[in-house]
Amino acid sequence: MLHVKGLQEGLETFKTLGSDVRMRIIELLSENGEMNMNELASALELTNGALTAHIKRLEDCGIIKTVSEYTGHGNQKKCSMKVNQLLLSVSPAEETREIKVYETEIRVGHYSDYSVCPSCGIASAYSMIGEADDPRYFAHSERLQASVLWFQSGYIEYRIPNMLPKNQRVSQLTFCFEISSENHRIGPAAQSDISFCLNGKKIGSWLSPGDMGGVKGIYTPGWWVMRERQYGLLKMVVVNNRGTFLDGLKISDTSLSEFQLDDRSEIRFRFVVDDKSEYKGGLALYGAGFGNYNQDIKVRVHYMQNEP
């Protein structure tokens, strides 16, 4: 079997197979087992000189093999198939090993680190936690019950449980969450540059619109009477060995291979609003009991056996 590991690696093989003559050579050798050059040239109605170039191309790609034999009237080259199957892997290496998945959901209040600037606040589905615009309450013990949080600038970081079995490595990470700008005025002033970081390294960013206030969120509780922070947009960030993607569109070339995450690694995902960015509309995160989607931060981890 000839295993082509990836589209780029298989480019020459595809070019070789893109010839009617060479495909006919493969058919003849598959049917007859072994044929010499004269037999092939006769079947294809080609000269030996024209046939030689095609045979060399197939041999260089590892599809056929040739053996020279002395017949008493000079050397005679005999041809036969070297492989009987061709396996194409669209993504290199990983597709030959079993990929497994585990999922977890992290409440918006279960952050492991933060640094926020007002306006800011945190609330459960039942009441405010502490007072608005006082960053100290982000350390309150009741934060674990939070269903919404917001801040004007700074960051909030979540530690993802690493449940990989021994000698496994992460092949893809998916994060799904409801998010918006903190500022809900309509227009450019409410837009916000929100960045995403993995283990301290920026992997991409998103420009959040700011016109999602004024209409009550589907799951936003009745006691929440503020016009702002009613709901957000459901966004999905995927990091794999091809780069980082937001809702299926590539936002950076930063790939998972740069992090080498295995069963001993910590996995930290951070939301950042830089006060030096062009659009400074802040950030709001919505969890179960708030917004339009009634979910917390969903995480999906694909993993596989480490390479030997």
Side-chain angles (χ1 to χ4, degrees):
M1 180 179 70
L2 177 61
H3 184 190
V4 179
K5 301 177 181 178
L7 296 176
Q8 288 299 319
E9 180 181 322
L11 189 58
E12 288 303 315
T13 302
F14 304 146
K15 290 179 179 179
T16 298
L17 297 176
S19 161
D20 291 340
V21 173
R22 291 191 283 272
M23 288 298 291
R24 182 63 181 142
I25 292 172
I26 292 173
E27 289 176 357
L28 288 169
L29 293 178
S30 297
E31 292 170 1
N32 298 289
E34 187 177 73
M35 298 177 70
N36 62 41
M37 293 287 285
N38 289 337
E39 292 169 335
L40 282 170
S42 177
L44 296 168
E45 298 182 346
L46 294 174
T47 64
N48 277 31
L51 178 63
T52 298
H54 292 294
I55 293 297
K56 186 178 187 307
R57 187 73 177 266
L58 289 166
E59 192 174 19
D60 289 344
C61 279
I63 297 173
I64 70 171
K65 60 183 178 180
T66 61
V67 178
S68 296
E69 291 187 352
Y70 182 71
T71 62
H73 301 282
N75 289 331
Q76 175 63 59
K77 185 175 290 187
K78 290 189 175 182
C79 307
S80 61
M81 293 297 299
K82 187 175 182 179
V83 296
N84 58 4
Q85 288 182 320
L86 173 63
L87 174 62
L88 168 63
S89 298
V90 176
S91 298
E94 296 185 358
E95 62 301 317
T96 60
R97 295 188 296 279
E98 181 183 4
I99 297 178
K100 299 179 181 179
V101 180
Y102 75 83
E103 298 181 348
T104 187
E105 194 163 357
I106 303 171
R107 299 201 63 163
V108 297
H110 282 215
Y111 43 84
S112 56
D113 194 12
Y114 71 93
S115 176
V116 300
C117 295
S119 58
C120 63
I122 186 169
S124 71
Y126 309 101
S127 65
M128 284 289 298
I129 297 174
E131 298 179 2
D133 299 334
D134 189 339
R136 293 180 302 165
Y137 287 102
F138 274 70
H140 199 291
S141 60
E142 292 183 11
R143 69 179 177 83
L144 301 179
Q145 306 304 317
S147 292
V148 64
L149 62 82
W150 65 95
F151 54 88
Q152 184 64 37
S153 64
Y155 68 85
I156 200 90
E157 184 174 85
Y158 296 86
R159 187 181 295 272
I160 312 304
N162 186 339
M163 308 303 293
L164 268 65
K166 190 175 180 180
N167 295 323
Q168 303 285 307
R169 65 181 178 86
V170 179
S171 59
Q172 179 170 292
L173 289 171
T174 301
F175 305 92
C176 184
F177 44 83
E178 185 176 355
I179 191 172
S180 74
S181 301
E182 187 277 327
N183 190 328
H184 287 266
R185 292 175 296 173
I186 297 175
Q191 293 179 325
S192 186
D193 285 318
I194 299 174
S195 298
F196 311 107
C197 298
L198 180 63
N199 286 2
K201 179 180 177 63
K202 182 178 177 180
I203 57 175
S205 60
W206 169 60
L207 180 61
S208 170
D211 55 356
M212 291 172 283
V215 177
K216 184 180 180 300
I218 296 173
Y219 297 99
T220 299
W223 67 267
W224 185 265
V225 295
M226 287 185 280
R227 175 186 181 274
E228 297 85 358
R229 296 173 291 279
Q230 287 287 337
Y231 65 92
L233 298 175
L234 193 67
K235 311 303 290 184
M236 180 179 291
V237 173
V238 175
V239 192
N240 56 33
N241 287 329
R242 294 181 290 116
T244 302
F245 302 80
L246 178 67
D247 297 338
L249 299 177
K250 193 171 189 179
I251 57 174
S252 85
D253 290 324
T254 303
S255 69
L256 203 58
S257 59
E258 298 179 34
F259 299 92
Q260 298 296 314
L261 301 176
D262 59 21
D263 57 287
R264 295 164 295 178
S265 303
E266 64 175 9
I267 305 172
R268 295 176 285 109
F269 188 71
R270 178 180 291 192
F271 300 88
V272 182
V273 178
D274 190 341
D275 59 4
K276 297 180 181 179
S277 62
E278 180 179 359
Y279 298 99
K280 299 181 280 291
L283 174 155
L285 272 176
Y286 305 84
F290 246 91
N292 279 353
Y293 296 94
N294 199 33
Q295 70 162 61
D296 289 294
I297 302 169
K298 292 186 176 181
V299 182
R300 183 181 300 119
V301 181
H302 292 72
Y303 63 95
M304 63 198 310
Q305 182 73 34
N306 267 326
E307 295 180 5

